[in-house]
Amino acid sequence: MPRDRSPTRIQKRNRATIIEAALDVFSQHGFRGATVDQIATAAGLSKPNLLYYFPSKEAIFTELLSELLDTWLAPLREIDPRGEPLDEILAYVTRKLQMSQDMPRESRLFANEIVQGAPRMIDALSTDLRALVDETETIFADWMDAGRIARVHPRHLLFSIWSLTQHYADFEVQVQALMTPEDPFAEAGAFLDTLYRRMLTPTPSPAILGDA
């Protein structure tokens, strides 16, 4: 779409419609399996009309990923190093689980890109995400050094949170098949709270126990 003037209201609406349709198509088929024709059909637009706004499938996918990465990193940025450590980590788990419930398509889109080797977002993973994980690792390590949470590997702690929360979105069909008629999210939050609370609550030292 020409960039020499601000887009009109209709143009903004059509771009948003294309992105929403592309999210459905890409999350179902991945980048390789999706086609411009599929996206145009899902958006209710002709292919030439779609290509007026985005010159290629790659351009649509790149914009989607850019928006998605910002959304995906937001809960991690909310961890407050000045907060109560266990509360901060459990709140992060809750936010990630809620995202899996509210944004399953986005989660699958991200997972599909990673499974394919992340060719369109490896730079962001190596820079933005890496820097944020480095920062979070420092926060966790400081809490562990102060004895405020149990000592575990900080990065594996993050990996486990991602795995245990995003599983509900990325493997939604399997989860639904195994849990129906029960709501998969009904007890998930309580289970993860118990799991991480037991894992991360520091064990009193022998000296403290002896003084009790």
Side-chain angles (χ1 to χ4, degrees):
M1 184 177 69
R3 301 291 183 178
D4 55 342
R5 56 187 177 183
S6 299
T8 66
R9 179 177 57 84
I10 293 176
Q11 288 171 338
K12 290 179 179 179
R13 184 187 65 197
N14 285 345
R15 284 180 65 87
T17 298
I18 292 168
I19 290 297
E20 178 67 19
L23 177 57
D24 265 339
V25 174
F26 284 129
S27 66
Q28 292 178 43
H29 304 289
F31 179 80
R32 294 175 184 171
T35 67
V36 171
D37 288 318
Q38 289 172 329
I39 298 170
T41 298
L45 299 171
S46 68
K47 183 176 180 179
N49 198 3
L50 181 148
L51 292 175
Y52 169 80
Y53 294 97
F54 295 96
S56 65
K57 179 176 74 170
E58 180 93 20
I60 302 172
F61 196 72
T62 298
E63 180 152 334
L64 255 179
L65 285 178
S66 177
E67 295 178 4
L68 176 57
L69 189 59
D70 285 340
T71 300
W72 233 238
L73 297 185
L76 194 55
R77 293 192 178 105
E78 293 178 27
I79 294 178
D80 185 355
R82 299 162 298 180
E84 183 62 32
L86 195 54
D87 290 343
E88 291 295 323
I89 293 173
L90 291 175
Y92 176 60
V93 173
T94 298
R95 290 192 295 270
K96 289 293 291 179
L97 185 63
Q98 190 64 51
M99 287 180 71
S100 284
Q101 184 171 14
D102 296 341
M103 307 172 68
R105 297 174 303 166
E106 290 86 342
S107 184
R108 288 193 290 273
L109 179 72
F110 189 88
N112 283 333
E113 174 68 6
I114 298 299
V115 167
Q116 293 175 16
R120 286 154 290 273
M121 61 185 306
I122 190 64
D123 289 343
L125 295 181
S126 303
T127 54
D128 296 348
L129 180 57
R130 179 64 186 255
L132 186 55
V133 168
D134 287 345
E135 180 182 331
T136 305
E137 180 179 35
T138 298
I139 294 171
F140 288 174
D142 287 346
W143 287 341
M144 294 172 196
D145 290 343
R148 300 180 70 188
I149 56 173
R151 188 171 295 281
V152 297
H153 194 295
R155 289 181 190 260
H156 287 300
L157 174 58
L158 274 179
F159 296 161
S160 74
I161 293 172
W162 297 345
S163 299
L164 290 173
T165 54
Q166 290 169 214
H167 175 89
Y168 291 92
D170 299 343
F171 290 84
E172 183 179 31
V173 173
Q174 174 177 278
V175 170
Q176 290 286 355
L178 297 177
M179 293 291 292
T180 299
E182 184 179 348
D183 177 5
F185 290 95
E187 299 295 332
F191 174 83
L192 293 177
D193 185 282
T194 299
L195 178 69
Y196 284 105
R197 195 176 295 277
R198 289 180 178 177
M199 178 193 299
L200 295 173
T201 298
T203 303
S205 67
I208 295 177
L209 290 173
D211 293 339

